Amino acid sequence: WIEPFVRSLRERLAAFHRFFCVADQVKVYTNQNKTRTFIGLEVSAGHFQLLELVSEVDAVLKEFDLPTFYKDPSFHISLAW
C-alpha cells in the first residue's frame, strides 16, 4: 500500500505552493492520557494553509481506511516535556 498511498498524497498535494509559518505563541500541552505535559510554540501564521494540507492528507487516509488527523489540530513546535 505504500506506493499507491504516496502516489495519492503527491497527486493531492502537488497544487500547494510554499507558505510561511510563524510559531510564536507559548502554549502548554498534555497528551490524551494526561500522563505527559510539554511546552510548545503554537503556529500563529500559516494555520489556514496547514488546515488545508491536513484536509487533503485526511482524504488520502480515508481512501486507505486509515484514521484521520485530529479534528481540532493545534499546529506547534514542541520545545520541552
Side-chain angles (χ1 to χ4, degrees), residues 7-56:
R7 185 172 39 252
S8 188
L9 278 175
R10 282 188 178 144
E11 290 169 3
R12 286 191 167 269
L13 301 179
F16 282 85
H17 299 285
R18 291 181 186 184
F19 59 93
F20 288 96
C21 286
V22 176
D24 60 356
Q25 298 177 358
V26 176
K27 189 169 178 180
V28 177
Y29 294 91
T30 56
N31 65 359
Q32 289 179 334
N33 299 333
K34 308 286 187 212
T35 58
R36 187 163 287 154
T37 301
F38 58 99
I39 297 171
L41 292 176
E42 188 175 34
V43 170
S44 61
H47 191 268
F48 178 75
Q49 292 88 342
L50 290 170
L51 284 173
E52 288 182 323
L53 285 171
V54 167
S55 176
E56 293 299 326

Side-chain angles (χ1 to χ4, degrees), residues 1 4 8-9 12 56 58-66:
W1 287 18
S8 188
L9 278 175
R12 286 191 167 269
E56 293 299 326
D58 279 350
V60 173
L61 291 168
K62 286 179 185 176
E63 279 181 47
F64 290 84
D65 294 321
L66 296 169

